[in-house]
Amino acid sequence: EAAITDRRKASETLLFSVYGEEALRQSLRPWAVTVPATAAEPEAENVLERQAIERREDLVAARKDLVAAGITLGSTRNALLPDLDLVGSVGTGGTAGSFSRAMDRALDNDEPSWSLGLALTFPIGNRGDEARYDAARIEKERRRLAYVDLENSIRLATRNARLDVVLGRERLAAAEESRELADARLRADRERLELGLTDTIRVLETEEDATSAYLAEARARYGLAAAAARLRAALGGAAP
């Protein structure tokens, strides 16, 4: 009698862990109130990584920062380069015995003149531009390293989340199979009890096993749903 009581208490404890106050109105088959949809088989690892790299807004922002740093570095580098300019001039003149005559010849363009040349200017002692170039170079390297680190972390998170989904599907399949077997044993033992071929303790043990199998299936199902949510987050909120 004590063994029967202990088995019944154990079964009721399992039911209350699932249903709470509703346990008394439930049979020994603890289905969850809301059952999450089973996650589909995820795509290949390289496909998911490519999707994450393209869609993650934080990585897109980091990529833009890196491009902006490269533009800044280019402009500060140009400030250190020598300037080569093409210079030229065109004019006219006039010579004569008097000022008025010279002006007339100049206005008539009797003596045109022109010049053309190159002017090369080297910046010397330009410490301000050199300091700005060094700062821009360091900033670009910092952003490059930050981008690479973020990309690697996204790839790793995507791989781990995908693996969790794959393993979660396997665990759920195994849990469903175990629950079906436990359910079948419970039905068989109940029939045997009605025929007097077994005792109440045996049926209570089978009920406890069946309840545990349902709980294991529920844990596996919700574990898979959590893994699928992590994969969606790794992909930037997109469906895997």
Side-chain angles (χ1 to χ4, degrees):
E1 183 68 27
I4 295 176
T5 301
D6 291 340
R7 287 294 180 184
R8 188 177 300 278
K9 288 181 179 179
S11 297
E12 291 175 352
T13 299
L14 288 172
L15 281 176
F16 272 99
S17 67
V18 177
Y19 292 104
E21 295 180 357
E22 298 294 324
L24 295 177
R25 290 187 287 274
Q26 302 292 334
S27 64
L28 288 173
R29 299 184 181 187
W31 287 104
V33 176
T34 57
V35 180
T38 301
E41 181 71 24
E43 296 185 83
E45 190 175 87
N46 61 326
V47 174
L48 294 178
E49 286 185 21
R50 185 171 62 252
Q51 291 177 1
I53 296 303
E54 293 174 353
R55 298 172 181 174
R56 286 285 294 264
E57 294 183 359
D58 50 351
L59 190 61
V60 172
R63 191 180 300 121
K64 292 180 179 179
D65 289 342
L66 182 58
V67 172
I71 295 174
T72 301
L73 178 61
S75 64
T76 57
R77 183 190 296 112
N78 291 337
L80 300 177
L81 299 176
D83 292 330
L84 181 63
D85 299 318
L86 177 66
V87 295
S89 64
V90 177
T92 184
T95 57
S98 63
F99 175 76
S100 61
R101 179 58 181 165
M103 287 295 296
D104 290 339
R105 296 187 65 181
L107 293 174
D108 293 338
N109 197 23
D110 289 339
E111 298 179 11
S113 64
W114 60 272
S115 64
L116 184 65
L118 296 174
L120 183 61
T121 305
F122 289 91
I124 299 176
N126 196 358
R127 295 182 179 178
D129 287 338
E130 291 177 353
R132 283 188 287 272
Y133 169 74
D134 290 338
R137 179 174 53 81
I138 294 173
E139 179 63 15
K140 181 184 178 182
E141 181 64 13
R142 184 188 69 80
R143 294 189 182 185
R144 186 188 70 81
L145 293 176
Y147 177 83
V148 171
D149 182 66
L150 179 58
E151 180 179 337
N152 290 337
S153 66
I154 289 175
R155 290 182 183 275
L156 181 60
T158 302
R159 293 175 187 175
N160 290 340
R162 180 188 181 279
L163 179 60
D164 288 343
V165 172
V166 172
L167 295 179
R169 284 172 54 86
E170 294 176 357
R171 284 192 289 267
L172 178 59
E176 288 175 339
E177 183 178 356
S178 297
R179 185 261 306 162
E180 291 173 357
L181 293 174
D183 215 13
R185 286 194 296 268
L186 178 58
R187 288 194 299 269
D189 279 351
R190 283 175 173 173
E191 291 176 359
R192 287 166 57 84
L193 180 62
E194 292 177 358
L195 297 175
L197 300 177
T198 188
D199 53 26
T200 305
I201 293 180
R202 172 61 183 174
V203 173
L204 288 174
E205 290 176 347
T206 309
E207 288 178 345
E208 183 178 337
D209 292 340
T211 303
S212 297
Y214 275 99
L215 286 172
E217 181 185 359
R219 284 193 295 267
R221 191 175 298 278
Y222 279 96
L224 176 57
R230 288 193 296 272
L231 181 56
R232 286 193 296 272
L235 294 176

